[in-house]
Amino acid sequence: MKFGTSGLRGLVEDLAGRASVVYAQAFARHLLETGAAKPGGLVLVGRDFRASSPGIAATCIGALARAGLSPVDCGALPTPALALYGLKLGAASLMVTGSHIPADRNGIKFYRPDGEIDKSDEERIAAIAAELTGREVETAPAEAPDRSADANALFLSRNRRVLPADALAGLKLGVYQHSTVARDLMVEVLQGFGAEVMPLGRCEDFLPVDTEAVSAETIGLLKGWAREHRLDAVVSADGDGDRPLVADERGEPLRGDLIGLITAKFLKADVVVTPVTSNSGIDTAGDFEVIRTRVGSPFVIAGMLEALEAGRDRVMGFEANGGLLTASPFTVAGGRLDPLPTRDSFLPVLAVLSLAADKKQPLSEIAASFRLPFAAADRLENFAVETSAALMAHLRASRDNLAAFLAPIAAVAATSEIDGLRVTLADGRIVHLRPSGNAPEMRCYVEADSEDEAKALLEEGLRLIRGWAIRTRA
């Protein structure tokens, strides 16, 4: 088990039972030691729709109760809904979810009463878990009072304030429901703003949908539905509902960082914090300051907090996957929108659809009007963590190593190591190599002047990674 860019992750066979007890108890002890919770204090527990999530959640509930806290069951709900409810109650929370990764894996996200845990919290929880590993622990599951209705109602109320009444009237929208916990709330929110909504693709078995590297199979579904039903857009979210997916009238997904940019303009932000993997064109695309960070919501949150401490207002952030975080209150149609410093898929979906309704233009034309560099991203799955670490060490060892690796593409002009290795080529194109923080995956991000060039560059980048791995194994 290890912490990555989005909580604790691992194989279900490793997480279920003892490990989930150990980490839940470590979290409880950390809360009590730091004063973030008092003995008997509330701690909320939520989960996604994976087959393993109810059992892990019940095990965590039992562990939290035995550690001296009072767990509350919030059921299956979006992660931002759980976090919002925790902020309202001043309670810590724990979300059992593996987000977009395959069903044989799962994870846990931890929240203090004031929001997501940071890297120092992760280190302390991991250290306590290490202390507990050799000890005998009780693994019996337990039940807790159910407050799922209250948590969902609060999140629904928040989203109903974002736009004016009937703001989406005239739009015909599809909601790809698959197995995301956001599926029913998203339909209800969009219908509440007057849109004609078609639920699509609902399934009971967990389906991993990655909104940052949308699979060819998913794109095929989106295109088919858009064409068949003459939709203005198809929207969705990942497994735990904190990353948006928006496809245009042709079924082509919009990049998450473009969705974030549109939301920044919608909110009239003064400061935008986003990882280095977001499109480079964002830096000059709006009337706001852009702060770049490493990949992962803890780093985006740290950047937002620094901006607040510097006296800045209207501070928000987003990740390249489109997950939207707010550190300041913002004024929207229904009044004040309180800060929600964790990834949210609903606000960015509403911002994009509102722009389409206002402009009465196809989303494809709106996306093109931003004239951002063309970007593409994908990942090599089942790519050993040791192999990706060896590749990055090799490329960082010398400029000659990096130049030789990228020689089939172009010469190297500049590099950045904020997170992974981001290389600006002599012709202005960008190749960014980054091992996943919590899964056996190697990710590649690229930018180029045209869509075809970006796709070709991505394929070449992935080919070079595969080739290096084969040669080193040989």
Side-chain angles (χ1 to χ4, degrees), residues 42-178:
L42 289 180
V43 57
L44 313 180
V45 178
R47 63 183 184 273
D48 65 15
F49 283 138
R50 291 164 192 269
S52 61
S53 291
I56 294 173
T59 301
C60 289
I61 286 171
L64 293 167
R66 288 188 293 273
L69 298 176
S70 299
V72 170
D73 187 359
C74 291
L77 80 172
T79 295
L82 181 72
L84 182 69
Y85 193 43
L87 288 169
K88 179 186 178 182
L89 298 180
S93 51
L94 178 157
M95 179 73 180
V96 179
T97 178
S99 186
H100 64 281
I101 60 178
D104 66 338
R105 300 172 183 274
N106 212 327
I108 303 176
K109 295 179 180 179
F110 300 96
Y111 289 80
R112 301 183 311 237
D114 61 344
E116 287 189 32
I117 62 172
D118 59 25
K119 289 299 177 183
S120 64
D121 294 318
E122 288 181 2
E123 290 172 3
R124 181 57 185 151
I125 292 168
I128 297 172
E131 290 178 24
L132 297 173
T133 297
R135 301 182 188 176
E136 190 170 328
V137 295
E138 173 61 55
T139 61
E143 296 181 351
D146 184 349
R147 292 200 191 174
S148 56
D150 291 344
N152 280 291
L154 179 67
F155 192 59
L156 183 60
S157 174
R158 172 187 176 85
N159 284 291
R160 282 175 170 164
R161 295 199 302 274
V162 173
L163 302 177
D166 295 325
L168 304 182
L171 292 183
K172 187 176 182 182
L173 307 173
V175 173
Y176 179 25
Q177 293 197 306
H178 61 95

Side-chain angles (χ1 to χ4, degrees), residues 235-246:
V235 301
S236 188
D238 65 338
D240 67 320
D242 70 348
R243 304 180 185 192
L245 175 60
V246 180

Side-chain angles (χ1 to χ4, degrees), residues 2-34:
K2 61 179 291 190
F3 282 100
T5 56
S6 186
L8 186 75
R9 296 277 179 83
L11 291 167
V12 169
E13 62 187 28
D14 295 330
L15 178 60
R18 180 182 175 83
S20 54
V21 168
V22 165
Y23 277 94
Q25 288 188 342
F27 178 49
R29 186 168 134 191
H30 178 60
L31 292 172
L32 293 167
E33 286 179 351
T34 59

Side-chain angles (χ1 to χ4, degrees), residues 195-206:
E196 179 184 350
V197 181
M198 296 190 65
L200 300 164
R202 189 184 186 97
C203 59
E204 298 310 316
D205 292 332
F206 185 80

Side-chain angles (χ1 to χ4, degrees), residues 197-247:
V197 181
M198 296 190 65
L200 300 164
R202 189 184 186 97
C203 59
E204 298 310 316
D205 292 332
F206 185 80
L207 184 67
V209 173
D210 188 345
T211 65
E212 187 173 7
V214 186
S215 69
E217 180 181 3
T218 297
I219 293 174
L221 290 173
L222 299 173
K223 287 184 174 181
W225 289 325
R227 182 174 57 253
E228 177 185 356
H229 302 295
R230 299 179 179 273
L231 301 173
D232 295 301
V234 184
V235 301
S236 188
D238 65 338
D240 67 320
D242 70 348
R243 304 180 185 192
L245 175 60
V246 180

